Amino acid sequence: MAQLSSDCFAHGGALMTVDEAIAAIRERVTPVADPETVAPRHALGRMLLRDVVAGHDVPPHANSAVDGFAVHFDDLKAEGETRLPVTARVTAGHPLDRPARRGEAIRIFTGSRMPDGPDTVYMQEDTRAEGDEVVLMPGIARGANVRGRGEDIRTGDTVLAAGRRLRPQDLGQAAAVGCTGLTVARPLRAALFSTGDELREPGQPLDAGCIHDSNRYTLHGLLQAAGCTVTDLGILPDHHDAVHDALAGAAADHDVILTSGGVSVGEEDHVKQAVEAQGSIHTWKLAIKPGRPIALGQLGRTPFVGMPGNPVAVMVTFITVVQPMLEQMLGGTADRPRGYRLPAAFDHRKKPARREWLRARLVPGADGTPAVEKVERQGSGVLSAVVESDGLVELAEDTTHVEAGSVVDFLPYSEVAG
């Protein structure tokens, strides 16, 4: 297992913009995941580390795009109908065992290999059968309804480039060029825990002043969607030795460690102290809302990420910083998820100099096209607002107001992790 260079998260500045944070990740974070080769059917969602190059043309031979009749174009009359004898039948996987002769029509079906000689296929709807002959209507173009050899892919083409997360269609593309093994990144091993004497597991009774731990479950899902295998260390007590020992054990056999809460300067926040005792930790104060502070450090050379405690801030900082970092560690590029430009169905004002994310849902616009509507409750502790929304509206640092009808950047949750 490769590891990150020592102290790669050091930052001496004040507030960082999102773009500065992404630039720092691209510059300082290196791939750490080991490569492995898996069959295409087991590669869904994995990060491709080696280009897939076509070893043959696709299709490997000219074939018919329709059910019909293969003919020589030069046998067709320029005007009026053409009558030809039907002398053979070709189906998919059973090509004609001889070259086709001039003056004959070959019955052919979709996907079947074109016989040597004919260059045009009539759709059966444009023909009329009369006994052992077929009557062909005028007006067809040379080469009609024929898929040429290599029309989709040529030998030597790079059909899948390294650095992409593999989708279902990518697996089909790999199979189409005969690929039996894809070189992908081994999933990152992520350790995850929460700290806080006030936290309880779902199903446990809530004592006075206690709440159920939700952030750990959100992060578990986000990490899985990002291609990680997750070790859930549960809820750790607010005790230095317990946190210290858990961090030491996780750093020994994990690629990244995440936690929520416990990284401020309070005397009961033991995570920060335990990380500093074994490595280094730096607070990136991001110019974003919600989720300004995020702690980044290393135990040895295993990266540590301390997330904010508010549920919505956890989502936003994961999307903004953690997901790009994981993509880079896997051998991809530290790009944030793709958003879309859509009209706003709301008014909003914000302060300048920070990037803001609003929880929003998709709604029909005035002309029936999609628009985005801000959900009513926008507090960083209101997890139900995330559940009720379809994604996040991203407002740039220099934006101070949004008016209904203006175009905004919308990031659907479906784009998160790939």
Side-chain angles (χ1 to χ4, degrees), residues 41-275:
R41 64 170 55 89
H42 300 307
L44 182 64
R46 304 286 292 275
M47 182 68 70
L48 185 66
L49 296 185
R50 183 176 298 168
D51 293 348
V52 176
V53 178
H56 60 74
D57 293 340
V58 178
H61 47 256
N63 66 87
S64 176
V66 298
D67 293 346
F69 296 87
V71 299
H72 291 81
F73 181 81
D74 291 334
D75 287 338
L76 304 177
K77 296 179 180 178
E79 297 181 2
E81 298 176 344
T82 300
R83 184 184 297 269
L84 295 174
V86 180
T87 58
R89 187 173 185 269
V90 173
T91 60
H94 300 280
L96 191 64
D97 58 2
R98 61 171 175 81
R101 297 180 290 271
R102 293 289 302 273
E104 66 178 349
I106 308 297
R107 182 72 167 112
I108 196 167
F109 295 88
T110 304
S112 301
R113 178 170 181 163
M114 287 290 292
D116 293 339
D119 56 3
T120 302
V121 175
Y122 264 89
M123 294 178 62
Q124 62 186 27
E125 295 88 338
D126 297 330
T127 67
R128 185 175 72 252
E130 293 186 358
D132 294 334
E133 296 181 323
V134 62
V135 179
L136 310 172
M137 307 305 165
I140 197 169
R142 186 189 297 273
N145 303 314
V146 175
R147 301 187 185 112
R149 175 176 178 170
E151 181 177 288
D152 184 6
I153 297 166
R154 292 288 188 182
T155 302
D157 285 351
T158 298
V159 297
L160 297 172
R164 69 186 295 140
R165 281 195 178 270
L166 293 168
R167 306 165 297 170
Q169 57 267 44
D170 299 328
L171 308 186
Q173 185 72 93
V177 298
C179 179
T180 59
L182 295 167
T183 302
V184 296
R186 176 187 50 77
L188 295 176
R189 294 169 291 191
L192 171 67
F193 66 89
S194 296
T195 61
D197 289 343
E198 79 283 7
L199 297 178
R200 297 291 182 270
E201 289 285 6
Q204 292 182 338
L206 293 178
D207 301 323
C210 294
I211 60 173
H212 286 129
D213 183 10
S214 63
N215 286 349
R216 199 171 93 253
Y217 288 83
T218 299
L219 285 170
H220 196 288
L222 288 167
L223 287 166
Q224 283 185 312
C228 299
T229 58
V230 184
T231 301
D232 186 352
L233 302 179
I235 301 170
L236 302 185
D238 283 327
H239 189 277
H240 180 272
D241 290 345
V243 176
H244 181 281
D245 292 347
L247 287 171
D253 55 7
H254 289 83
D255 301 302
V256 63
I257 304 170
L258 275 81
T259 186
S260 173
V263 290
S264 70
V265 295
E267 60 184 29
E268 290 300 318
D269 289 328
H270 298 292
V271 176
K272 182 174 185 292
Q273 300 170 30
V275 174

Side-chain angles (χ1 to χ4, degrees), residues 14-33:
L15 288 180
M16 297 177 69
T17 66
V18 171
D19 293 339
E20 288 171 340
I22 296 299
I25 289 170
R26 286 176 175 160
E27 178 183 353
R28 304 175 191 177
V29 175
T30 56
V32 302

Side-chain angles (χ1 to χ4, degrees), residues 127 206 238 248 284 289 312 329:
T127 67
L206 293 178
D238 283 327
W284 286 11
K289 179 185 177 181
V312 183
M329 291 172 67

Side-chain angles (χ1 to χ4, degrees), residues 370-385:
V372 286
E373 175 183 76
K374 181 177 69 172
V375 302
E376 183 176 353
R377 296 177 297 168
Q378 291 291 319
S380 62
V382 184
L383 183 57
S384 60

